[in-house]
Amino acid sequence: PAPLAQPAVSSNPRGDKLIFWQLRYQLEAYIRRAAYSYGVPNRGGDPASVLDALRRSGFVDEADLRIAEGIFALTDRVTAGGAASVEDYQQALMLYLLYHRSHLGG
């Protein structure tokens, strides 16, 4: 059998970290604005606590909360690891599109 191909890793790890950090920052800002607009108490905690507060409020669809958690997990993994693979970018784009599609589709 042929050896398994290793995922292609970017030749610009610093750029990867910045891109995934920016994705995380944008999502975090979005969920904090959502919490504020729904009147959900948000004491500036970490994004997971904001997601939990939104979950308890019942104002946000569970699927959206899980997609957001997936994006946070992916961005954390890439920024901790220092570089992103092509698959990381594909997953990030897919999750981003799924998350925003539910908010734009009405």
Side-chain angles (χ1 to χ4, degrees):
L4 295 175
Q6 293 295 319
V9 176
S10 172
S11 61
N12 184 6
R14 184 171 185 268
D16 291 341
K17 286 177 77 169
L18 290 173
I19 289 168
F20 280 80
W21 180 87
Q22 184 63 31
L23 175 60
R24 180 185 177 80
Y25 176 81
Q26 292 295 324
L27 180 60
E28 188 173 336
Y30 186 82
I31 64 165
R32 289 185 190 285
R33 281 193 307 271
Y36 179 79
S37 71
Y38 290 123
V40 173
N42 174 15
R43 295 185 175 88
D46 66 337
S49 65
V50 178
L51 288 173
D52 287 341
L54 286 168
R55 181 172 279 118
R56 287 189 304 274
S57 77
F59 292 124
V60 180
D61 186 67
E62 180 64 27
D64 288 341
L65 296 170
R66 288 185 183 191
I67 291 169
E69 289 169 338
I71 293 170
F72 283 128
L74 177 61
T75 58
D76 288 348
R77 187 179 77 237
V78 169
T79 55
S85 68
V86 171
E87 290 80 13
D88 291 330
Y89 277 101
Q90 290 172 335
Q91 184 180 8
L93 179 59
M94 180 194 67
L95 290 170
Y96 178 83
L97 292 173
L98 285 172
Y99 187 78
H100 284 288
R101 180 185 71 182
S102 70
H103 295 277
L104 297 173

